[in-house]
Amino acid sequence: MEEKIRVLVAKPGLDGHDRGAKVVASAFRDAGFEVIYTGLHQTPEMIVDAAIQEDVDILSISVLSGAHMTIFPRVLELLRAQGAEGIHVIGGGVIPRADARRLKELGVGEIFGPGTPTSEGVAYVRKWVAARHETQA
Amino acid sequence: MGRELLDLVFPRIGHARRIGITGPPGSGKSTLVHAVAMLLRRRGQRVAVLAVDPTSPFSGGAILGDRVRMPGAAGDEGFFVRSMASRGSLGGVAATTHEASEVLDAAGFDWILIETVGVGQSELEIVELADTVVLVLVPESGDAVQVMKAGIMEIADVFVINKYDREGGDRLMRDISVTMQITQWSRPEGWVPPICPTVATSDEGIEQVLAEAERHLAWLQEDRPRLERFRAEKLRRRLQMLLSRILLERAWKAAQIDEQLDGAVERIMAGDLSPYRWVAGIELG
C-alpha cells in the first residue's frame, strides 16, 4: 500500500495567531500529506503525546510568541524521553537567525521564517522522508 | 508486517465494547465522543478513539482535525486518540479502521469509540465495525421527509439530537418517534432505538447517551442465539470485504489493466470502441 506522509501541525503557547499554521496545514494537505491539526494553546506535553498517538513522521511547530527557545528544546527533550526521537521536528514563525541556528544544533530539522513559500516546506518534508526510507532500506 | 501482527492480535480480541458514532458534518460528533470518553475516564475505564476524516480525492491529502475537540487525550495513558484519513473508502470509515480497532481491543482498551467522517445518507460501513451505532443529528437535520429516508436512519441503535438548545429539537424528536411507529425500518429484532437530546459542549445528556448505549449492549448479550447470528453475519460480510479487496488487486494486476488504460481511453475517445466492449474484452489473466 502507498505510504502516506503524516504531519502534526502544532500551535503551542499563548499566542492566538494560527493563520500561519493553517496555511501550512493546507499546503501540506494539498501536497498529499495527512495533516493532524490540534488547535491553539497546546503545551509541549500535549504536542508530544499527540505526535506519538498519531504516529507522525514530521512534527511541524509554529511559534510567534517569542517562546521558541523554551518550547522547541522542551519538545525535543520529551520526544527523547519517550523514545520517539524518530519523529522529525521542524518549525516556523518569528524566530531570529541566531536562535534558529541554535535550535538546529539542538536537533530541530529546519526553521522556516516569515515569507518562506509553502512549497519550500513541502519539498523539505518530501526530501527528509525519502532520505529516511533510503537509510532504512 | 501488518498482516502478521493482525494475525497475532486476532485471538486476543473481544474484550472491548465498540461504539460507532456517525452523523452529518458539523453535528458535533467529535465533541460528543470527547464528552462520552471523559465520562468513561471518570469511571476508570480505558478509552480509545478512532476518528476518521475525509481524504481529498484531488490531492490525496487530508486535514485531520478531530483532535481539536479532544483535549482530554493529552497526558492521559488511558485515553488514546488516533486520527485516520478515509483514503478513498466511501463507507464513512477507512479501509483499515476495522484492523485498527482490533489492535486497540487487544491492547486492553475497555471501550473503542469510532467516529466516522461526516456522512450523508449512504455511508453505512460503521455497522460492520461497531456493536452499537449512535447517530448524531441536530435540530436542523430535517423534517419528517428526511427522517423517513432510508439508509443512515436505519442503522441507528441510539439517536442523539445534539445542540438541543437550538430551535427545532422537539419537532425532530417527534418526527423520529412517529416515523419509528409507522415504519418497520430494518429492525425486526425488537430493539426500539431511544432518542437522546444533548448539548455536548456543556455535557448535557451525555450520561443518558452512555446509559442507552450500555442498555443496547446488554440487549445484544441477552439473547445468545441472536448474538451468535449477528456475529456470524458480520463475520461473513467482513470476509467478503477482505477477500474482495485482495481479489480486486490481484485480478487488476494479472489482467495488466494499468498498462492498457491509456490506450483504451484513446481508442474510446477516437470512436473506435465503446467502454462496454472494452470492459467485456478484458481477459482476467
Side-chain angles (χ1 to χ4, degrees):
Chain A
M1 200 159 89
E2 188 198 353
E3 289 272 331
K4 288 276 182 187
I5 298 174
R6 282 172 73 88
V7 184
L8 181 81
V9 172
K11 186 71 201 128
L14 296 177
D15 76 89
H17 303 279
D18 66 343
R19 187 167 172 107
K22 282 179 174 154
V23 168
V24 169
S26 303
F28 283 164
R29 181 208 44 207
D30 293 342
F33 305 168
E34 291 181 357
V35 184
I36 293 99
Y37 185 66
T38 53
L40 289 167
H41 308 312
Q42 304 282 297
T43 65
E45 286 78 4
M46 291 160 88
I47 291 168
V48 168
D49 270 0
I52 291 170
Q53 289 191 1
E54 298 290 353
D55 195 20
V56 293
D57 306 291
I58 301 277
L59 174 49
S60 172
I61 302 178
S62 159
V63 185
L64 298 167
S65 64
H68 48 269
M69 292 314 279
T70 311
I71 287 163
F72 282 97
R74 180 80 183 128
V75 165
L76 292 167
E77 181 191 320
L78 287 166
L79 283 172
R80 269 194 295 272
Q82 302 232 39
E85 57 271 13
I87 296 172
H88 191 64
V89 179
I90 59 176
V94 186
I95 295 171
R97 277 203 198 94
D99 288 354
R101 263 198 305 279
R102 177 83 193 106
L103 289 174
K104 283 169 80 170
E105 281 164 20
L106 290 172
V108 175
E110 190 55 82
I111 297 284
F112 298 95
T116 312
T118 52
S119 57
E120 240 177 72
V122 168
Y124 176 88
V125 168
R126 283 218 176 99
K127 218 171 123 191
W128 183 84
V129 171
R132 186 191 57 181
H133 276 291
E134 253 168 51
T135 55
Q136 280 174 352
Chain B
M1 177 215 91
R3 194 169 303 161
E4 288 93 64
L5 177 69
L6 288 168
D7 198 39
L8 286 172
V9 155
F10 189 74
R12 295 165 170 272
I13 64 172
H15 163 75
R17 279 156 283 187
R18 296 172 302 172
I19 308 293
I21 292 92
T22 190
S27 56
K29 292 183 294 298
S30 299
T31 308
L32 188 92
V33 164
H34 186 255
V36 171
M38 292 305 278
L39 177 59
L40 287 164
R41 288 303 291 140
R42 288 196 291 278
R43 295 187 187 170
Q45 302 279 297
R46 300 185 68 217
V47 188
V49 173
L50 290 170
V52 188
D53 266 335
T55 292
S56 158
F58 305 106
S59 71
I63 299 258
L64 310 174
D66 292 325
R67 266 197 115 85
V68 175
R69 316 256 179 256
M70 301 185 193
D76 178 357
E77 292 214 330
F79 187 176
F80 178 95
V81 177
R82 173 63 74 89
S83 311
M84 300 185 85
S86 62
R87 297 192 184 172
S89 293
L90 299 175
V93 293
T96 52
T97 305
H98 202 128
E99 284 87 331
S101 77
E102 290 184 347
V103 173
L104 292 167
D105 185 346
F109 286 99
D110 302 305
W111 294 78
I112 300 169
L113 310 179
I114 303 161
E115 179 187 339
T116 71
V117 302
V119 301
Q121 287 157 341
S122 60
E123 297 94 332
L124 311 178
E125 216 180 300
I126 189 65
V127 173
E128 307 298 331
L129 278 75
D131 304 311
T132 299
V133 174
V134 176
L135 174 62
V136 185
L137 301 167
V138 287
E140 295 82 357
S141 288
D143 53 20
V145 182
Q146 294 289 343
V147 170
M148 285 174 75
K149 278 188 184 165
I152 194 74
M153 303 296 284
E154 290 177 278
I155 67 167
D157 298 309
V158 177
F159 284 99
V160 167
I161 304 176
N162 192 30
K163 311 188 188 186
Y164 202 77
D165 51 342
R166 300 207 302 220
E167 205 184 310
D170 299 351
R171 205 181 53 227
L172 181 59
M173 167 116 52
R174 238 178 6 251
D175 285 346
I176 296 171
S177 50
V178 167
T179 307
M180 269 191 292
Q181 284 160 19
I182 57 177
T183 63
Q184 272 276 305
W185 279 345
S186 61
R187 300 281 172 176
E189 308 278 354
W191 172 258
V192 180
I195 311 167
C196 308
T198 62
V199 184
T201 47
S202 56
D203 247 11
E204 279 168 62
I206 300 305
E207 300 230 0
Q208 193 200 341
V209 174
L210 182 56
E212 294 294 3
E214 285 180 311
R215 195 165 66 82
H216 180 256
L217 288 162
W219 174 83
L220 283 175
Q221 297 287 338
E222 86 197 3
D223 182 341
R224 206 70 209 175
R226 185 183 60 206
L227 180 65
E228 295 292 315
R229 199 174 66 245
F230 279 0
R231 284 190 176 154
E233 282 166 10
K234 276 191 189 183
L235 182 56
R236 190 190 181 78
R237 287 194 297 265
R238 172 120 184 94
L239 291 175
Q240 284 173 339
M241 206 188 296
L242 285 171
L243 193 59
S244 62
R245 228 188 275 162
I246 288 175
L247 289 179
L248 175 67
E249 211 171 283
R250 281 192 198 155
W252 195 274
K253 265 197 204 127
Q256 301 185 303
I257 303 296
D258 286 328
E259 291 83 344
Q260 298 181 51
L261 216 46
D262 284 346
V265 167
E266 215 167 282
R267 288 174 59 203
I268 292 166
M269 285 185 75
D272 293 346
L273 187 70
S274 84
Y276 317 104
R277 180 167 296 225
W278 179 71
V279 170
I282 292 288
E283 298 277 340
L284 284 178

